[in-house]
Amino acid sequence: MLLHFECMKTLYLQNHELTLRFDSSLSGVRSDEVLLKVQLAGICGTDLALLNGYANFNGVLGHECVAEVIETGAGVNGGLIGRRVVAEINQWCGVCDQCAREHYNHCLNRRVIGIRDHQGCFAEQIVVKANTLHIIPDSIDDRQAVFIEPLAAAFRIIEQLQLHDYRDVMLIGAGRLGQLIARVMVLQKKPLTVVVRHAQQRELLQDLPLNCIDESAVEAKIVDVTIDATGQQSGLELALHALRPQGICVMKSSYSSPVTVDLTRLVIDEVELFGSRCGPFSTAIKALEDGLIETESLIDATFKIDDYQAAFALAHQKGSMKVLIKPC
Amino acid sequence: MLLHFECMKTLYLQNHELTLRFDSSLSGVRSDEVLLKVQLAGICGTDLALLNGYANFNGVLGHECVAEVIETGAGVNGGLIGRRVVAEINQWCGVCDQCAREHYNHCLNRRVIGIRDHQGCFAEQIVVKANTLHIIPDSIDDRQAVFIEPLAAAFRIIEQLQLHDYRDVMLIGAGRLGQLIARVMVLQKKPLTVVVRHAQQRELLQDLPLNCIDESAVEAKIVDVTIDATGQQSGLELALHALRPQGICVMKSSYSSPVTVDLTRLVIDEVELFGSRCGPFSTAIKALEDGLIETESLIDATFKIDDYQAAFALAHQKGSMKVLIKPC
């Protein structure tokens, strides 16, 4: 087991505060692990929620990245060295009841990169399990690859809706994740309406076959599927309001505070409500490879890790999209 | 158009108060309607909720009954006269968007017997649309037939779950509707646990292949499907608590006050929550005909319509089951 660094830069979250910290605790890779050099990482809405106390996480932040394999554990194919990869953020155990059902993203013992019991990717290097890696085809550049994790989360909605019969969709929210959801949903070729808040959000959607409206234009009971990607209770309430009887409401947000809505209507109109979290990386990679999803316009800026304060200041601005961090 | 009565007895709900009222407003049948003589009717949990203000209904109460056709409209087959029938409680319009999709129970213009804009069946006679009738086979007696409407509501859960993959089920609540749900769910031959509150509820389930437990024995994240049939927020909270990741929670209650629960967990565990209301009458009739569902033990007593106060006093008692009313 080689040690590739004496000390590396990380962005460490502790007590709601993010600091640049030099970490020397990484102790090499175990048999089933690999060491990655992080090339590019993205700031996500969940990172901002984590800063606000979501999931009570303390540790190195970050879970969206593209990286290069620089060391492999004894049980891992050494041919991986030098390959560009992304890692699933759920690092599963492989032995629990959920893993036995191949529900790896719901592993009961999972550690989640930069979210739960696992170092994040706002760091020069990161150790992950080799069986959670996906190799990036050459046709996908780093600036696209960094979107694979959130794009997979957007495709998760399609997986969950696939057995359902629906005619049209309304997406509430067109922020970082909402933009990707919009790009995925238009592939379903069903009428799509997106509720936007900022002019910039509308501009980024202008080339897509969808209809943008303001919140005030949302009528009651007009659509079969609604997706709340606002992260706010008011967004969820609007999503329920717009649903036809027997409609489906998808909760696609990390809510950083408790969400309570009146559920009486769910019974009378037999409405369905479900949460949606992580999705299929391979589907996201294939979609980027096939040129189906445009991401470049969503990148606001790229910062060196030392300039993390400016990066997060920009990410916090209303209407801002993807802010990237280059750790090395 | 004949008028079969000058004046009939009804149980009329107004401002949360139920009174015996002699009604002479029924004006015969229209072309697509039939006049029914009500043989036997059942008091439902929804009737008690309506008395508490649910749905703001004022009018003749009652929606579970078995009846005999005594007059047919000009456009209806006269051969129906003398037949024993049950009527769907949702009297649909046949022309709206939901009816066009054959979602008749969600008709946008529906009148609902004894619940919304339609006279109920706690009355000597009632007029309904002929195309909402189901003829009762001779092998089903009146005391069974009066359970068809709530039994159909229980079978609705099976319809809604049919595309889902699940291993086991927990039913919270073993009251009037809960008892029928338990009888339907055991037909699915999946492990079933029922959370009971009263010794009598447990006794009525003792011959069925299921496991009864007390509320205090419900552990977190132990089952794939939960069904809340308590009509109370605490029951819904327990149902969400007991769900495994990616589990399904069915809301099978008429909640008479707003229900608010913390939905944050729905996202992290991708839990699904849906409401369930009216179901397939034909499935319920077939199940009774095939002897699959036992109902006799659920009948506490039968009262004449004049003794409605005693009937409702018994129905209000904790742990009481089905109380029947004989209008004629």
Side-chain angles (χ1 to χ4, degrees), chain B residues 63 79 125 173 186 247 287 289 300:
Chain B
H63 56 275
Q125 298 181 347
V186 295
E289 202 175 5
D300 281 344

Side-chain angles (χ1 to χ4, degrees), chain B residues 8-319:
Chain B
M8 68 168 176
K9 290 178 186 171
T10 70
L11 296 184
Y12 200 92
L13 172 64
Q14 193 159 35
N15 301 328
H16 300 206
E17 203 176 341
L18 198 66
T19 51
L20 185 67
R21 185 185 282 200
F22 290 85
D23 190 332
S24 58
S25 64
L26 216 53
S27 58
V29 298
R30 277 181 284 216
S31 171
D32 60 347
E33 293 177 336
V34 296
L35 178 67
L36 306 181
K37 180 183 173 197
V38 180
Q39 309 284 12
L40 200 58
I43 300 175
C44 166
T46 303
D47 294 318
L48 305 182
L50 287 159
L51 280 166
N52 280 330
Y54 170 68
N56 295 315
F57 177 69
N58 288 318
V60 179
L61 203 61
H63 56 275
E64 301 175 358
C65 76
V66 53
E68 183 189 331
V69 181
I70 55 174
E71 185 181 327
T72 53
V76 178
N77 180 355
L80 276 174
I81 288 177
R83 302 301 298 264
R84 278 194 318 146
V85 295
V86 289
E88 301 255 355
I89 71 169
N90 294 289
Q91 301 278 301
W92 58 78
C93 74
V95 296
C96 73
D97 177 59
Q98 291 291 327
C99 284
R101 299 168 91 172
E102 299 185 7
H103 298 168
Y104 301 115
N105 287 344
H106 289 280
C107 167
L108 299 174
N109 306 310
R110 70 184 178 275
R111 298 177 301 140
V112 187
I113 293 177
I115 296 176
R116 186 203 289 183
D117 300 331
H118 198 293
Q119 181 214 317
C121 64
F122 295 152
E124 292 179 271
Q125 298 181 347
I126 181 173
V127 171
V128 300
K129 288 199 171 189
N131 65 354
T132 66
L133 292 183
H134 296 263
I135 292 173
I136 312 293
D138 292 340
S139 62
I140 300 175
D141 68 25
D142 284 356
R143 289 168 68 84
Q144 293 173 291
V146 79
F147 283 94
I148 289 170
E149 192 280 332
L151 186 57
F155 272 109
R156 174 64 178 151
I157 299 172
I158 304 301
E159 274 189 341
Q160 293 174 295
L161 286 175
Q162 67 186 347
L163 293 178
H164 292 82
D165 179 32
Y166 61 99
R167 297 184 297 188
D168 42 20
V169 179
M170 179 180 286
L171 167 65
I172 322 278
R176 291 172 191 89
L177 185 55
Q179 290 286 334
L180 294 174
I181 296 168
R183 283 157 174 73
V184 164
M185 291 311 297
V186 295
L187 301 177
Q188 304 306 301
K189 304 197 185 305
K190 308 221 182 200
L192 175 64
T193 301
V194 183
V195 179
V196 298
R197 279 208 174 147
H198 306 288
Q200 191 203 351
Q201 293 175 341
R202 193 184 285 260
E203 276 166 33
L204 289 167
L205 297 170
Q206 67 188 1
D207 293 334
L208 293 170
L210 53 80
N211 181 33
C212 282
I213 63 172
D214 291 327
E215 196 172 320
S216 59
V218 177
E219 293 170 54
K221 303 191 180 189
I222 47 161
V223 67
D224 283 352
V225 171
T226 56
I227 303 164
D228 173 36
T230 66
Q232 293 171 0
Q233 174 150 333
S234 60
L236 181 60
E237 285 166 358
L238 194 65
L240 288 170
H241 173 74
L243 273 189
R244 288 202 193 95
Q246 291 182 282
I248 301 163
C249 176
V250 183
M251 296 170 72
K252 191 73 198 183
S253 288
S254 300
Y255 302 93
S256 54
S257 48
V259 179
T260 57
V261 297
D262 181 10
L263 297 175
T264 314
R265 200 195 148 209
L266 265 67
V267 179
I268 294 170
D269 280 339
E270 293 191 322
V271 161
E272 183 175 327
L273 180 62
F274 63 74
S276 179
R277 195 167 43 88
C278 299
F281 276 49
S282 51
T283 306
I285 292 169
K286 182 74 166 54
L288 287 172
E289 202 175 5
D290 292 345
L292 297 177
I293 305 284
E294 184 279 330
T295 53
E296 185 59 34
S297 66
L298 301 178
I299 300 175
D300 281 344
T302 305
F303 293 85
K304 288 182 182 165
I305 195 168
D306 304 78
D307 300 328
Y308 73 99
Q309 285 174 319
F312 275 83
L314 178 57
H316 268 111
Q317 278 181 24
K318 274 195 195 306

